[in-house]
Amino acid sequence: MPALACFVDAAAAAVLPPPSGYALAGDSTLPPPLTFTTTTDGGVDDSDSGNNNWSPSLSSKLFKIDGWGFPYFGVNNAGDIAVRPHGAATMSHQEIDLLKVVKKASDPKCCGGLGLQLPLVVRFPDVLKNRLESIQGAFDGAIQLQGYESHYQGVYPVKCNQDRFVVEDIVEFGSGYRFGLEAGSKPELLLAMSCLCKGNREAFLICNGFKDSEYISLALVARKLALNSVIVLEQEEELDMVVEISNKLCIRPVIGVRAKLRTKHSGHFGSTSGDKGKFGLTTIQILRVVKKLEQLDMLDCLQLLHFHIGSQIPTTELLADGVGEAAQIYCELLRLGAQMRVLDIGGGLGIDYDGSKSSDSDISVAYGLEEYAAAVVHAVKYVCDRRNVNHPVICSESGRAIVSHHSVLIFEAIGASSNKAPSLSSIGLQYLGEGLSEETLADYQNISAATLRGEHEACLLYTDQFKKRCVEQFKQGTLGIEQLAAVDGLCDLITETIGAKDLVKKYHMNLSVFTSIPDFWSIDQLFPIVPIHRLDEKPTVRGILSDLTCDSDGKIDKFIGGESSLPLHELEGHGGGYYLGMFLGGAYEEALGGLHNLFGGPSVVRVLQSDGPHGFAVTRAVSGPSCADVLRVMQHEPQLMFETLKHRALEFCEQHDDDSVVNAAGLANSLARSFDNMPYLVSSTTCCLNALTNNDGFYYCSGDDFSAADSASVVTSVAGEDEHWNYCCA
C-alpha cells in the first residue's frame, strides 16, 4: 500500500525537527545508543565522551565506592576493585586485586587455579580483624578521653554469620580484648561454647533468645567449664527454670535481664524495640524478677542489663537517648540491691551501605565508629555520675558492623537481553498491509499524520491503540504471527525513535537472589553492587540483574542512590567473563539464604594478605553444594536416584544399541558428574576442563603455613574429598 511506504518514511523521521545525533527525515538509520559519563554529583548523564576521557577515579565516583567502600575498597590503576585488608593502614603494596583472586579461585587446576565454580564468596580475615580492632579502639579512645572508670568488652552475635572460620577468627582476634560471643539458640550456644574454649576466660558468653530447660542447662554447664556465661531473661517465665535447674546442678548462675525501653526508632529495623517489642521485660516484670530473686537470696546473681533499640540506629542522638534510659534502669537495679556490673547495649551500630552518611535511610547512618562509641560512653557516664554509681562494663553486640565488610559475593553475567527496537529493514514491512481491519488502518493513518506533524504524545497514544487493536485481531485469529511481529517491531521503533522507549538491558546472572541475597528479595535491603573489573572503561549501558530462578522476583532492579538500573559495560567484544561483586553482605545473607529451584550456596575462599608477588594467599577453598547435596536437604537420596537412572540407561542402550555396555557406562558417568556438580551454569569450556581435572571440591591450609614466596599457590587438599560417593561404573 502506498500509505505504508509513506508511513515508513514518517516513522524514520518521527522526531521533527530532528535533534543532534538522530535520523533525518527519509533516513533509515537509527540513533546511536546512549552512552554515559559521570556528572558532578557522581550520577550518570548522556554525554558522549569517549573511553580516552574515562578513568578509574571516575568509576569510583560513579559507583560511590569512596563512600560505602572506605577504607576497605577502592579502584586500582588497572580498573579492578582493590581490597585494602588493613583499612586505612593498608600500604599500596598490600592491596589485593579482587579480579586476581576470582581468577585464582575459578581457573581450572590444570591452569594453576582451584577449579571452583561461581558464584563465589571471598572472605578477608584481615578485614574482619581490622573491624574488630577499630570498634575496640573507638571505645578505648572514648573511655580514655572522657575519663570513664571501667572498660569496654564486646561480644559477637553469631546469628550474623555462623560460619565456623568466621567465629573462630573473631575469638582469636579478640582474645586480647576479652571479646566474647552471643548465642540465641541451642546450636549457636554449643558452637559458642566450643569456640570460646580457645578464647579469653573473661570473655562474655551472652545467652539470649527463647529458652527451654536444655538451653538453660547448657548455659549453666558452660559456667562449670569456666566459661563466663550470662543467662539473659527474655521472658519472665524463664527465671523459674533458671532457679530450678541451677539448684539441681548446684551451679550459681549469672543472670541478666533484657529491658523493653520506651526509646525506639521508626525505621524497618526499629520494630524489635519499644514497649511492644518481641523480646524483653517491662518495668513491672523487672521489679517482679528482682523481688523473686531477693526472696530466694539470689539477688547477687543479677549482674547484667541488656537492651536493643534496633539495628541500623540512624543517629547518635537516638542512640544516646536509649542508652541514657537504660543507664537509669541500671542504676535503679543497683539501688534495689542487685550486684549489677555490666550494661549490654545490644546491636544497632549501623553500616553506611550507600555512602550517603544520611540519617533518613534504613541503609545509611549519620556517624562513624568514633562518634558511636563517644555517644555511648558519654550517655552512660553522665547518668552514673549524677546517680553516684560506679561505671559499668560496657558491652555491645555489633555483629553487622563486625562482619559486613569482610565478605564479597562474586557472580558472573552469562548474557544480556535488550529492549532495543529492531532495524527498519528487519521488521517485515511486507506483512503490515495484510489482514488489518478498517479501525486498525485508521489508527495507523493517525500515527502517520501525528509523526509528520511532530506531535510526539499523540503519536505514542495512536501507536499504543494501534498495537492493542492488532493484538485483539491476533487473539481472534484474523491476524497471523508474521503480521503481529511486524507490528511489534514497528511500534518499538517508533517509541524508541521518539525517545519514549526504555533502553535498560537485562543482564542474566549466574546467581540465585533467594539463596545469596535474600534480604533484597524479602525486605528490599540494598547492597552496593559493582563490576569488579573494567572500571578503567566507560560503562555504556544501563541494566538490571536477573537471576537463574524460575521466579519473577528473582531480579535486582533497585540499587543504592535510588537508582532503578546500574551502569554496566557491554558484554560483546570483550574476552573473558564479566564479574560483578555485591559488597557489605557479610552479615545474615548466608544464614538466611534458601534453596529456591534447588540452587545452593556459593563456593567460598578465604584470602589473607601476604608479601609475596601476588599480594595474597588462598588459605581455604570450599566448593559450593553440589546437586546431590541440595537434593539431600529435600530428603531425596542421590545414590538411589543415580542407580535408578543408571539402570534405565542400561535398559535403553540394550534395546537400541549394539555397544550397550559402553554407551550405558558413558551415560552413567555423565549423570554422575551432574550429581556432583553445583546447580549453577557452566560454560562448555569449563565443563570439558572440569572433566579433565577432577575437582575434589575441598581444600585447606593453615593461615600460618602459607608460603609468602608463592602467595597465590594452590592450597592443599584434605580428607573432605572422601565424603563424595563414587559414581564410577564397572
Side-chain angles (χ1 to χ4, degrees):
M1 295 175 62
L4 283 178
C6 178
F7 174 64
V8 170
D9 287 340
V15 182
L16 294 174
S20 176
Y22 278 72
L24 297 174
D27 185 0
S28 62
T29 61
L30 293 176
L34 297 178
T35 55
F36 304 97
T37 185
T38 55
T39 61
T40 56
D41 62 355
V44 175
D45 65 23
D46 301 340
S47 52
D48 191 25
S49 60
N51 265 331
N52 292 336
N53 298 324
W54 199 257
S55 67
S57 62
L58 289 177
S59 285
S60 182
K61 190 174 183 180
L62 174 62
F63 292 104
K64 301 178 174 64
I65 297 172
D66 290 339
W68 57 259
F70 181 81
Y72 300 106
F73 304 104
V75 184
N76 61 26
N77 291 333
D80 302 336
I81 290 290
V83 181
R84 299 166 183 149
H86 310 298
T90 305
M91 294 182 284
S92 59
H93 72 277
Q94 295 176 318
E95 292 186 354
I96 299 173
D97 189 314
L98 188 54
L99 179 64
K100 291 181 179 179
V101 174
V102 173
K103 290 293 188 181
K104 183 65 183 178
S106 60
D107 281 351
K109 292 184 189 178
C110 61
C111 300
L114 297 175
L116 297 180
Q117 188 177 339
L118 269 59
L120 175 73
V121 166
V122 184
R123 300 197 199 283
F124 295 97
D126 294 313
V127 172
L128 193 63
K129 182 179 181 182
N130 185 267
R131 290 299 294 172
L132 194 151
E133 291 173 345
S134 297
I135 294 172
Q136 183 72 41
F139 273 98
D140 288 347
I143 285 170
Q144 182 177 3
L145 184 64
Q146 300 184 35
Y148 193 82
E149 296 176 355
S150 188
H151 66 275
Y152 168 76
Q153 191 172 328
V155 297
Y156 167 66
V158 297
K159 68 178 180 180
C160 292
N161 193 321
Q162 299 100 334
D163 180 84
R164 169 192 164 190
F165 294 93
V166 171
V167 179
E168 288 182 351
D169 281 342
I170 290 172
V171 171
E172 177 187 349
F173 300 152
S175 180
Y177 309 120
R178 296 171 286 194
F179 215 87
L181 300 174
E182 180 269 350
S185 67
K186 286 182 280 191
E188 287 185 352
L189 179 54
L190 287 168
L191 76 86
M193 290 169 63
S194 174
C195 290
L196 283 176
C197 286
K198 299 178 182 178
N200 192 305
R201 290 203 169 197
E202 296 181 38
F204 292 130
L205 172 51
I206 303 296
C207 303
N208 288 333
F210 289 104
K211 304 171 186 67
D212 60 7
S213 58
E214 186 177 20
Y215 186 123
I216 292 170
S217 296
L218 281 172
L220 290 169
V221 167
R223 292 206 68 80
K224 195 77 170 178
L225 300 177
L227 299 175
N228 192 10
S229 62
V230 182
I231 301 173
V232 178
L233 303 180
E234 306 271 9
Q235 307 292 323
E236 186 180 358
E237 297 78 14
E238 294 171 356
L239 178 60
D240 293 332
M241 286 191 291
V242 172
V243 171
E244 179 184 356
I245 297 170
S246 64
N247 287 335
K248 286 182 180 179
L249 297 177
C250 299
I251 300 173
R252 194 75 169 172
V254 173
I255 299 173
V257 292
R258 176 168 177 170
K260 285 185 177 179
L261 301 187
R262 269 67 169 183
T263 306
K264 64 174 294 184
H265 70 82
S266 58
H268 169 82
F269 295 107
S271 61
T272 56
S273 62
D275 56 3
K276 294 184 179 180
K278 178 179 178 181
F279 294 108
L281 281 62
T282 64
T283 53
I284 296 173
Q285 292 172 315
I286 290 174
L287 286 175
R288 286 202 294 257
V289 167
V290 169
K291 185 175 181 180
K292 182 174 288 188
L293 287 172
E294 186 177 21
Q295 292 171 347
L296 295 169
D297 196 24
M298 295 180 65
L299 195 52
D300 62 302
C301 296
L302 182 56
Q303 299 181 16
L304 179 144
L305 176 67
H306 171 46
F307 70 94
H308 180 63
I309 300 175
S311 295
Q312 286 289 108
I313 297 174
T315 66
T316 54
E317 290 79 14
L318 177 63
L319 171 68
D321 191 27
V323 173
E325 180 186 351
Q328 291 288 359
I329 298 175
Y330 178 92
C331 293
E332 285 296 297
L333 290 173
L334 271 169
R335 182 180 64 81
L336 294 172
Q339 300 298 305
M340 304 298 293
R341 66 183 192 92
V342 182
L343 180 60
D344 182 353
I345 66 173
L349 174 53
I351 295 296
D352 189 6
Y353 288 99
D354 63 4
S356 66
K357 300 194 185 307
S358 168
S359 61
D360 300 325
S361 169
D362 283 339
I363 62 171
S364 185
V365 291
Y367 55 81
L369 294 180
E370 289 75 16
E371 293 95 332
Y372 177 89
V376 171
V377 172
H378 180 267
V380 178
K381 184 177 186 295
Y382 178 77
V383 172
C384 291
D385 286 350
R386 290 186 63 192
R387 300 290 298 269
N388 197 26
V389 166
N390 290 334
H391 300 163
V393 174
I394 297 175
C395 177
S396 74
E397 303 175 5
S398 304
R400 185 189 299 268
I402 292 174
V403 298
S404 289
H405 297 77
H406 95 286
S407 176
V408 182
L409 173 69
I410 306 295
F411 47 96
E412 183 179 8
I414 55 177
S417 57
S418 173
N419 290 328
K420 186 173 176 60
S423 63
L424 195 62
S425 59
S426 65
I427 288 177
L429 295 176
Q430 68 272 21
Y431 297 112
L432 275 176
E434 301 176 10
L436 296 182
S437 67
E438 291 184 6
E439 294 86 354
T440 308
L441 284 173
D443 288 331
Y444 152 72
Q445 291 166 352
N446 288 331
I447 295 172
S448 179
T451 55
L452 288 172
R453 293 193 301 268
E455 297 175 354
H456 301 164
E457 292 185 8
C459 180
L460 290 174
L461 180 65
Y462 291 133
T463 299
D464 183 62
Q465 190 168 300
F466 173 67
K467 189 171 183 177
K468 286 180 179 178
R469 289 191 193 277
C470 290
V471 170
E472 286 302 316
Q473 281 195 242
F474 178 75
K475 290 179 179 179
Q476 295 168 8
T478 60
L479 206 65
I481 193 170
E482 296 91 350
Q483 288 81 22
L484 186 63
V487 167
D488 286 338
L490 191 54
C491 290
D492 285 348
L493 182 60
I494 293 171
T495 55
E496 182 177 302
T497 305
I498 290 175
K501 187 173 179 61
D502 182 8
L503 296 178
V504 173
K505 283 191 173 185
K506 183 181 294 182
Y507 276 59
H508 305 289
M509 312 308 298
N510 200 6
L511 178 79
S512 165
V513 170
F514 305 93
T515 298
S516 295
I517 320 178
D519 271 344
F520 174 82
W521 165 71
S522 60
I523 62 172
D524 289 328
Q525 170 72 43
L526 301 184
F527 298 92
I529 297 177
V530 180
I532 68 166
H533 60 139
R534 297 180 63 183
L535 296 175
D536 55 342
E537 303 174 28
K538 177 178 58 180
T540 56
V541 296
R542 298 200 71 104
I544 64 171
L545 310 180
S546 177
D547 75 356
L548 295 179
T549 65
C550 301
D551 197 303
S552 58
D553 287 335
K555 62 182 178 182
I556 303 174
D557 55 2
K558 298 175 185 176
F559 303 89
I560 63 171
E563 299 291 339
S564 59
S565 61
L566 191 67
L568 295 168
H569 304 86
E570 290 281 6
L571 300 183
E572 296 81 7
H574 178 78
Y578 188 55
Y579 303 104
L580 284 83
M582 185 204 80
F583 295 80
L584 309 187
Y588 296 110
E589 300 313 291
E590 293 171 54
L592 292 175
L595 286 175
H596 190 27
N597 272 159
L598 295 186
F599 286 108
S603 301
V604 180
V605 292
R606 185 176 185 268
V607 177
L608 287 173
Q609 183 267 325
S610 80
D611 294 329
H614 300 285
F616 68 90
V618 178
T619 62
R620 187 173 185 268
V622 182
S623 178
S626 66
C627 291
D629 293 331
V630 296
L631 286 166
R632 287 191 192 96
V633 173
M634 304 307 293
Q635 308 303 311
H636 296 280
E637 299 185 29
Q639 287 176 284
L640 296 181
M641 295 167 67
F642 171 68
E643 291 299 329
T644 299
L645 292 170
K646 184 175 72 170
H647 181 70
R648 173 60 66 90
L650 184 59
E651 284 184 341
F652 179 83
C653 291
E654 286 177 346
Q655 294 173 6
H656 297 88
D657 203 314
D658 293 336
D659 297 325
S660 59
V661 176
V662 174
N663 288 330
L667 281 174
N669 283 328
S670 177
L671 289 167
R673 284 193 297 272
S674 295
F675 276 103
D676 205 32
N677 286 337
M678 288 175 65
Y680 296 93
L681 304 186
V682 293
S683 67
S684 57
T685 303
T686 304
C687 287
C688 295
L689 288 170
N690 283 344
L692 293 172
T693 55
N694 183 30
N695 180 11
D696 296 324
F698 190 92
Y699 315 89
Y700 177 78
C701 76
S702 168
D704 299 326
D705 296 337
F706 68 82
S707 170
D710 187 12
S711 58
S713 59
V714 179
V715 292
T716 56
S717 62
V718 296
E721 59 212 34
D722 295 335
E723 298 172 2
H724 296 283
W725 37 278
N726 189 357
Y727 295 107
C728 296
C729 302

